Amino acid sequence: MGPANRKPYLVVGLVLATTLGIVAAVGDRDPLHQDLMLALTPPSLRFPLGTDHLGRDVFARLIHALPRSIGIAMTSMVVAASVGTIIGLTAAASNRLIDAALMRLTDLALAFPGLLLAMVLAGLLGGGAVPVLVGISLAQWPQFARITQSIAATVLTEPHIESSRIAGLAEWRILLRQVMPRILPQTTALATLSLGGAVLTISSLGFLGLGLQPPTPEWGAMITELLPYMDAAPFQIAAPCVALFLTVLSCMAAGQRLAEVR
């Protein structure tokens, strides 16, 4: 691998190291501490991004919101990838009737807007991490089912698969040992690409008041809280917007890179 090919990994490593360093630096700063006497304080050495309308440290809230958003997004991708992969493998390894039924179910789920589904679930269940996670997972699994079924159906027609069956190898062993290694690179790239969309969905729900509930730090909720003070606190409201943009952009870039080298 030449220097040009190593650049993306060096950049990702540098970003991760910087992020961990920042998290460690502000780890002891309370993102929930309020001081109304310091409300809407402009950026300073004490408060690098200023304070919000309740006198809370915007920088501390911004950093503490990162693991929550990424954690929920990653968990939802794991759940969606697991469910979608199981359904896709089942469809590819079954007869035509079951295959067609599972794929029509997948098409039906794909036709339903993911953000709307997450909003409905979060609204019905009162918001919070679990409804958001379930909503994103339900919206994302059809993509994994589709790509898994497509790859598995092709692999299962190859001559070495038939040889394995003749040799008496169980179908589930064939799927695990010979089909899954062909699927994993594709699903990993798709999960990384979808991670940015999941983070954006979490922030969108937070913006609408259907995501993580106050006073929990969350980028979308931070934007909503600071909207009435946009003129007095431009840096404070810009901070979560920029953090969200960079996070989604990084996920998309990483996913694109994985797709290129699969």
Side-chain angles (χ1 to χ4, degrees):
M1 182 182 294
N5 292 329
R6 285 199 299 265
K7 279 186 177 180
Y9 299 101
L10 292 175
V11 171
V12 171
L14 180 61
V15 170
L16 288 175
T18 303
T19 302
L20 289 174
I22 293 174
V23 171
V26 301
D28 59 342
R29 301 174 72 168
D30 186 1
L32 304 181
H33 177 70
Q34 300 181 17
D35 188 344
L36 295 179
M37 298 298 293
L38 298 173
L40 301 180
T41 299
S44 62
L45 290 177
R46 181 181 177 186
F47 303 111
L49 295 176
T51 60
D52 64 8
H53 59 298
L54 296 176
R56 297 174 296 192
D57 187 346
V58 172
F59 185 60
R61 289 180 63 76
L62 191 76
I63 297 301
H64 280 82
L66 176 62
R68 289 183 174 87
S69 295
I70 294 294
I72 294 174
M74 291 183 67
T75 303
S76 66
M77 285 301 102
V78 171
V79 173
S82 301
V83 173
T85 299
I86 292 172
I87 292 176
L89 286 175
T90 302
S94 301
N95 58 50
R96 291 185 178 181
L97 181 61
I98 296 177
D99 186 6
L102 290 176
M103 289 301 98
R104 295 299 78 75
L105 174 63
T106 301
D107 291 339
L108 181 63
L110 278 171
F112 201 86
L115 179 58
L116 181 60
L117 177 60
M119 287 175 57
V120 170
L121 283 177
L124 291 175
L125 299 178
V130 174
V132 172
L133 190 154
V134 173
I136 295 175
S137 300
L138 288 176
Q140 294 291 338
W141 74 262
Q143 302 179 58
F144 293 96
R146 264 294 172 194
I147 194 172
T148 298
Q149 190 274 344
S150 177
I151 297 172
T154 301
V155 175
L156 288 172
T157 61
E158 295 177 355
H160 67 92
I161 299 294
E162 189 61 32
S163 300
S164 299
R165 288 175 176 150
I166 294 174
L169 194 64
E171 192 71 19
W172 67 271
R173 290 185 181 274
I174 293 175
L175 293 175
L176 287 179
R177 294 181 180 181
Q178 301 185 45
V179 179
M180 279 301 295
R182 301 277 289 274
I183 293 172
L184 282 176
Q186 303 279 356
T187 54
T188 301
L190 176 60
T192 308
L193 279 168
S194 302
L195 186 63
V199 172
L200 190 59
T201 298
I202 293 168
S203 295
S204 299
L205 293 174
F207 182 82
L208 296 173
L210 298 173
L212 301 182
Q213 298 302 298
T216 303
E218 195 280 317
W219 293 336
M222 290 174 65
I223 296 172
T224 299
E225 291 173 347
L226 289 166
L227 270 178
Y229 312 97
M230 184 182 297
D231 293 336
F235 289 101
Q236 288 90 321
I237 195 171
C241 296
V242 173
L244 180 59
F245 171 76
L246 293 177
T247 300
V248 173
L249 182 63
S250 299
C251 293
M252 296 294 289
Q256 182 64 38
R257 177 60 181 170
L258 286 172
E260 291 173 355
V261 301
R262 66 183 185 273

